[in-house]
Amino acid sequence: MNIKKITRASLEMFLKSEASDLYTLDIGSGGSMYGYDRFFTKRVTVDIDPARNPEIVGDIHALPFPDGTFDRVLCVEVLEHVKDPRQAFKEMKRVLKPGGKIVLSTRFLFPIHDAPHDYWRFTHFALQMLCDEAALAVERLEPDTRTLSGLGAVMQRIAFQSRFKYADKLVKVLFFAKARVLDWGSWLTKEEFGDIKKETRVTALAPAGYFLVAQKR
């Protein structure tokens, strides 16, 4: 069943907007099926799992590169799978040249995936805190979906990763259809708030994840 993932379109747009021909470290990219080399043409792939055939086997907690090696660090859908996010940010910063950038996406409202190595979910505020602690200047920090689209992405993923007792294919079709309705209906939302008293506006109350671009000062 060929279903276009709700989050994939926004990720492609984000990566395209940050495309670069500068020297890029692509973390967690072994076996990547999505062709990020379209956007980052001069990249080195590194992954902790040798079975995924990266160019270099390495761990984000202790990257096997000298200080200041790369102009960009690409970290797509990896941060939720690392054991120590603070150490990961320190290492990504270390291998960047001064003025270099981290280009990152990660999950917030999303089902368990790549079990059992799925440890964290990140809010806007957590990502800002991690950048502050690592002395990285945030250039972009934004949700990857509106809230209703985020709920749709959850429904899609549940359908992809579940088997149902009765009429499995039919139930999946219903899930996918409802996911599309939610995605389409995102335009209906006027305002969203980060507290029950509706005092603090947020861009998206429950996005599927976030995009981040942060620069080494």
Side-chain angles (χ1 to χ4, degrees):
M1 190 177 294
N2 186 17
I3 303 295
K4 187 173 182 180
K5 295 176 183 177
I6 289 171
T7 56
R8 183 55 49 186
S10 59
L11 177 59
E12 294 262 333
M13 288 177 61
F14 170 65
L15 294 178
K16 186 176 181 179
S17 71
E18 295 295 334
S20 174
D21 59 0
L22 297 174
Y23 196 33
T24 299
L25 175 63
D26 191 352
I27 297 175
S29 51
S32 173
M33 68 183 79
Y34 296 113
Y36 299 145
D37 54 342
R38 288 176 294 152
F39 308 116
F40 300 87
T41 55
K42 190 179 178 182
R43 66 173 187 152
V44 174
T45 61
V46 61
D47 198 289
I48 197 171
D49 184 359
R52 299 181 70 194
N53 298 315
E55 293 170 271
I56 296 174
V57 176
D59 186 343
I60 193 173
H61 300 93
L63 291 167
F65 306 100
D67 296 359
T69 301
F70 297 97
D71 300 287
R72 296 286 184 274
V73 170
L74 185 62
C75 185
V76 176
E77 313 298 293
V78 172
L79 194 63
E80 64 267 28
H81 304 290
V82 306
K83 293 180 179 179
D84 187 344
R86 286 185 169 90
Q87 179 62 21
F89 266 79
K90 288 179 183 177
E91 277 294 281
M92 288 190 288
K93 178 188 175 183
R94 181 185 66 77
V95 300
L96 275 175
K97 296 175 183 177
K101 296 180 182 180
I102 295 170
V103 179
L104 180 148
S105 69
T106 191
R107 298 293 98 213
F108 172 59
L109 183 69
F110 211 70
I112 291 172
H113 55 290
D114 293 335
H117 307 293
D118 188 1
Y119 307 119
W120 310 101
R121 295 294 180 270
F122 296 91
T123 64
H124 177 286
F125 311 105
L127 292 168
Q128 180 68 62
M129 180 186 70
L130 287 166
C131 288
D132 290 344
E133 290 179 353
L136 291 161
V138 173
E139 287 193 356
R140 291 177 66 178
L141 179 48
E142 58 201 47
D144 67 346
T145 66
R146 299 287 299 275
T147 292
L148 292 181
S149 294
L151 295 174
V154 169
M155 295 201 71
Q156 270 192 346
R157 196 72 184 211
I158 289 172
F160 281 127
Q161 293 183 211
S162 301
R163 292 194 185 99
F164 298 96
K165 271 188 177 181
Y166 307 107
D168 180 74
K169 289 184 179 180
L170 176 59
V171 174
K172 288 181 188 295
V173 167
L174 293 174
F175 267 67
F176 290 136
K178 191 167 184 179
R180 280 299 166 194
V181 170
L182 285 166
D183 185 32
W184 173 83
S186 281
W187 67 272
L188 292 168
T189 304
K190 181 180 178 182
E191 293 179 291
E192 297 179 55
F193 299 88
D195 60 286
I196 198 70
K197 294 181 180 179
K198 298 185 178 66
E199 293 176 345
T200 306
R201 286 184 176 85
V202 293
T203 306
L205 186 59
Y210 287 95
F211 299 137
L212 171 68
V213 179
Q215 186 176 45
K216 182 174 180 176
R217 298 174 182 176

